[in-house]
Amino acid sequence: MSSKSSARGALAALAALLVITVAWWALALWPVQGIAPAWLERARLVCFNTGPSGLPDASGWLLLVGQPIGMLAVLMVIAGDAVRAGLRRAFASPAGLLGIAGGSGVLVAGLVLAAVRVTGAPLDSEWLETARADVPATYPRLDRRLPPVDLVDQRGEAFGWGRVTGRPTLLTFGFGHCATICPMTVMNARQVQDRFTAEGSDVALVVITLDPWRDTPARLPSLARQFHLDAPDAIEKDRTYLLSGSVEGVNAALDALQVARQRVPETGDIVHPALVYLIDADGTIAYAASGHAELIEELARRM
C-alpha cells in the first residue's frame, strides 16, 4: 500500500473513532423526555451503571473517558506514522482543514453539551424525591383479591399465597428468553425490595414466568440465577419466589391475574407489558405499576 493510501486510511480510522465516541457518549448522556424506553434504560445500566438521575457512576465515567483514549492509543501503536502523515496532508489542503475544523467543532460541541447535561442533572436522591412527588395522590387502587394458583417455586416446592401473607409483596412477570423488558422489570422490583430490606422491612418478591413451555419447573434454578434471585439471604429468609408449573396451570394463573400477553408462534417469545402488582399484607392487590423502580417504591410506601 502506498504512503498516500495509508495516510488516507489512517484519517478514515480517526474519523471512525470520532463517530464511535460521539455515539458512545450520546448513548450514555442524551436526554430523554418523559420515561426512557426499557432498552435504553437497560443499556445505560449495563454499560455505564447509570443511576436514577440518568448519569453514570464513577466506573461508567471511567469507561466513557477511557474508551476513546484507549482506541486512539491502539490506533497510534498500529498506524502512528500513517496518522501523522495523514494529518500533515490534511493541514496542507483546504478540504483537509475544513474536515479538521468540523471534527474539532463536533468535539467542542459535545463537551459543552455533556457539561450542560452533567451540571443540570439532580443528585440521585433529589431525582428520587421528585419522581415520587410526581405520582398523584389519586393514583387508582385496584383492591382485588389474589386468585388461587397451582404453581411451584425454584426450590421445587408448591407455592400458595400463604407463603407471602403478612408482608407486602411485589408480584411481576417475565421469561428466560426475554432480553429487554423482563430483566429490567425484575431488576427494578428487586432493587425496590433491597431498599426496603436495607430499612429493616420485610418485602417479598414473586416472579411468575410468562413462558411455561420453556421455563419449566426444572429450569427455574437456572432462571433464578439469570434474574439474580438466588442470593443466599433471599433464599434463607424466603424473600424471593420464581414460579412455573404446567402450561395449563401457569396460563390459568396469568388469566386470573389479568396479565395481558401474546405468544408469537414463530419465535415462541411473549409480547407483554412491564407490569408489577403491589400486594398488601392481607393478600389484596392494591396497585398495578409499570416497571419503573421509583413508581414501584412510592406505591409500596403507600400500602
Side-chain angles (χ1 to χ4, degrees), residues 29 47 192 221-222 229-230 240 252 269 279 281:
L29 299 176
C47 295
V192 172
S222 173
L229 299 175
D230 60 339
T240 63
D269 288 343
I279 303 169

Side-chain angles (χ1 to χ4, degrees), residues 1-292:
M1 181 182 293
S2 67
S3 59
K4 187 174 182 180
S5 297
S6 297
R8 286 177 177 173
L11 284 182
L14 201 59
L17 191 157
L18 176 62
V19 171
I20 292 171
T21 300
V22 169
W24 190 238
W25 278 69
L27 175 65
L29 299 176
W30 193 269
V32 177
Q33 295 297 322
I35 295 174
W39 69 265
L40 181 58
E41 284 192 347
R42 177 168 172 77
R44 287 177 169 177
L45 179 69
V46 171
C47 295
F48 312 109
N49 289 325
T50 298
S53 65
L55 296 182
D57 68 359
S59 62
W61 283 114
L62 184 62
L63 188 62
L64 278 172
V65 174
Q67 173 262 347
I69 294 175
M71 292 179 67
L72 180 59
V74 170
L75 178 62
M76 294 305 294
V77 168
I78 295 174
D81 291 341
V83 170
R84 286 186 285 270
L87 288 174
R88 285 194 296 269
R89 289 178 180 273
F91 276 109
S93 70
L97 285 173
L98 183 61
I100 291 173
S104 300
V106 169
L107 283 176
V108 172
L111 289 173
V112 171
L113 291 173
V116 171
R117 175 78 172 86
V118 171
T119 56
L123 298 174
D124 283 355
S125 58
E126 294 173 347
W127 190 93
L128 288 171
E129 291 302 320
T130 301
R132 292 167 189 160
D134 287 341
V135 182
T138 55
Y139 194 96
R141 284 183 62 98
L142 299 180
D143 291 324
R144 297 199 324 245
R145 298 300 299 177
L146 284 166
V149 296
D150 181 18
L151 304 173
V152 297
D153 66 16
Q154 70 268 36
R155 306 164 188 85
E157 301 174 0
F159 178 86
W161 296 116
R163 301 272 294 276
V164 295
T165 300
R167 52 182 165 164
T169 299
L170 307 177
L171 169 62
T172 190
F173 311 89
F175 63 101
H177 287 75
C178 179
T180 53
I181 294 177
C182 308
M184 176 63 68
T185 304
V186 173
M187 179 197 67
N188 285 345
R190 195 180 71 246
Q191 285 182 348
V192 172
Q193 182 191 39
D194 289 343
R195 292 173 192 172
F196 280 96
T197 299
E199 298 173 4
S201 299
D202 185 12
V203 175
L205 172 60
V206 178
V207 182
I208 300 179
T209 181
L210 295 166
D211 185 7
W213 297 271
R214 293 179 291 188
D215 296 341
T216 61
R219 190 169 177 268
L220 289 181
S222 173
L223 189 55
R225 290 190 292 273
Q226 178 180 326
F227 283 150
H228 303 289
L229 299 175
D230 60 339
D233 64 325
I235 296 174
E236 292 170 5
K237 297 179 182 178
D238 227 20
R239 295 175 54 234
T240 63
Y241 305 86
L242 180 58
L243 307 181
S244 184
S246 67
V247 172
E248 296 77 12
V250 171
N251 281 328
L254 295 173
D255 289 340
L257 288 164
Q258 301 180 26
V259 179
R261 67 207 184 278
Q262 182 174 1
R263 189 166 186 251
V264 181
E266 293 78 12
T267 64
D269 288 343
I270 313 296
V271 179
H272 66 98
L275 173 64
V276 178
Y277 283 134
L278 293 96
I279 303 169
D280 276 336
D282 65 357
T284 299
I285 301 176
Y287 297 105
S290 65
H292 293 273

